[in-house]
Amino acid sequence: MPRAKDGTARLHVPEGPPVPLEIAASYRSRTRGLLGRDTIDGALLLTPAASVHTFRMRFAIDVAYLDRNLTVLAVRTMRPGRLGLPRPRSRHVLESAAQTMTNWGLRPGVSVRFEREAQEPADGDGQEGRGRRGRGPGR
């Protein structure tokens, strides 16, 4: 899997419909995760990650540990206030509301994929990565 960036995508599970996916790849977004939410529509992908916790969470979640090829290693349901054990081969963690992964057909051995949604530049000029005030670096 190429290095991911924060954003949205569609998660494709072989036996189910596409699922809305939020990608948390930055330290800040991975740390925040699902904290402060009452539920989630779809799933949240934490990358890179090998373990999770549910301290200060408001609802139970399903957790799927994925290897570097996006193959499911294990699926667990975690109640709030729990600490998940690290999975040595895990490179990504997928989180969703409790009991949804079973409905999607997600189980160990299943390979998933995700497809990024098309995104327009924020200001429409396509000048991402430029320095302050629209000038290039070092100018």
Side-chain angles (χ1 to χ4, degrees):
M1 180 179 129
R3 187 153 183 96
K5 294 182 180 180
D6 291 350
T8 59
R10 290 274 177 204
L11 176 70
H12 296 276
V13 180
E15 298 176 13
V19 176
L21 179 68
E22 295 177 43
I23 301 171
S26 68
Y27 176 78
R28 184 174 184 171
S29 64
R30 287 192 322 265
T31 302
R32 185 177 56 242
L34 295 175
L35 293 176
R37 299 189 195 189
D38 292 323
T39 188
I40 181 171
D41 295 325
L44 174 69
L45 178 70
L46 304 172
T47 180
S51 67
V52 295
H53 68 82
T54 58
F55 299 126
R56 296 180 30 212
M57 292 198 49
R58 298 176 182 169
F59 58 99
I61 60 171
D62 281 349
V63 177
Y65 298 91
L66 310 174
D67 67 9
R68 68 183 63 222
N69 299 317
L70 300 179
T71 301
V72 178
L73 300 172
V75 179
R76 300 285 182 260
T77 299
M78 294 178 64
R79 295 186 320 226
R82 303 289 183 215
L83 177 64
L85 295 174
R87 299 286 172 165
R89 291 182 22 228
S90 177
R91 297 294 179 266
H92 318 283
V93 174
L94 193 62
E95 298 179 345
S96 69
Q99 305 307 316
T100 55
M101 290 188 184
T102 303
N103 297 339
W104 298 337
L106 213 56
R107 60 186 177 282
V110 171
S111 290
V112 299
R113 65 181 177 87
F114 69 90
E115 181 179 316
R116 285 218 175 252
E117 295 179 352
Q119 296 179 354
E120 295 291 323
D123 57 4
D125 66 359
Q127 299 294 319
E128 292 82 32
R130 303 289 298 230
R132 291 177 44 196
R133 293 188 221 122
R135 294 183 293 172
R139 290 187 185 179

